[in-house]
Amino acid sequence: MKQFLYDFGGCIIFLYGILCLAVVMDLFTFRISNRIILAGYLAGICYRWLTGGWIGTGRGILEAAVFFLLLIPIYRFGAFGGGDIKLFSVCALFTGIMHSISIFIYACFAGAFISIIVLAYRLIFKKTRKKAVIHFSIPILFGVIALQTGGSIL
C-alpha cells in the first residue's frame, strides 16, 4: 500500500478526475462516455511510461486487459454495465491488478450499502420503478478512496 501512495504521486489527481467525470456523466446520462475512458487509458499509459518505461507500460496495459477480461462474465451476467467494467480497467492501469482487486472488493461493499439504502427508500416511501438503477461509478470512486486511505485488502 505504501508503494501505491508514494509511486502514485500527482497522478492520483488524474485518476480522481477521470472517476469524478465518470460519476457526473453516469448520474446525468446513465452511461459513461468512451471519451472519458479513453482519457483515462491515455493518462494511465503516460503514468506507467513515466514511472516504468516501456516495460512498465506493457505491464500496465497487460494488467488492465487481464482485469477487463476477468470482469467480462460479470458484465454478461448483467451485474455491471460496460462503462463500469472499462472504468475498473482504467483503475487497473493506474494501480496494478492486485490493488484493482481491492478496489473491486471495496466497490462491491459500497455498492451493496447503496443498494440497501435504495431498497429502504423504496420500501419506506413506496416508490416503485421497474428497475432500480445503481450508478456503479460511485462505488468505484469509493473503492479508490478506500484503497488510498485504508490500504489493500490483499
Side-chain angles (χ1 to χ4, degrees):
M1 178 59 196
K2 297 297 182 195
Q3 181 183 5
F4 169 72
L5 288 175
Y6 295 126
D7 287 351
F8 222 22
C11 289
I12 189 81
I13 292 171
F14 290 113
L15 181 58
Y16 279 128
I18 296 296
L19 291 172
C20 288
L21 283 172
V23 166
V24 169
M25 182 164 213
D26 195 13
L27 287 173
F28 287 107
T29 66
F30 291 87
R31 58 183 303 272
I32 299 171
S33 171
N34 284 334
R35 292 179 183 169
I36 293 174
I37 299 299
L38 181 61
Y41 283 138
L42 291 175
I45 288 170
C46 289
Y47 163 70
R48 285 295 189 132
W49 185 77
L50 290 172
T51 58
W54 291 111
I55 294 173
T57 303
R59 180 177 175 168
I61 292 170
L62 181 64
E63 288 175 334
V66 167
F67 201 64
F68 179 82
L69 292 173
L70 287 173
L71 295 179
I72 290 289
I74 296 172
Y75 165 74
R76 299 288 290 166
F77 181 67
F80 295 140
D84 301 326
I85 300 300
K86 291 182 274 189
L87 202 57
F88 273 122
S89 179
V90 168
C91 292
L93 184 58
F94 271 94
T95 63
I97 198 156
M98 294 307 287
H99 288 308
S100 294
I101 293 170
S102 294
I103 290 170
F104 179 78
I105 293 168
Y106 282 133
C108 287
F109 280 121
F113 181 73
I114 291 170
S115 296
I116 291 170
I117 291 172
V118 168
L119 179 64
Y121 175 81
R122 289 177 66 178
L123 289 174
I124 291 170
F125 294 107
K126 308 244 188 282
K127 299 284 183 179
T128 57
R129 289 173 85 187
K130 291 181 181 177
K131 183 178 179 183
V133 177
I134 304 291
H135 300 280
F136 213 79
S137 56
I138 298 169
I140 295 171
L141 177 61
F142 285 149
V144 172
I145 293 169
L147 175 68
Q148 188 180 14
T149 58
S152 179
I153 292 176
L154 303 177

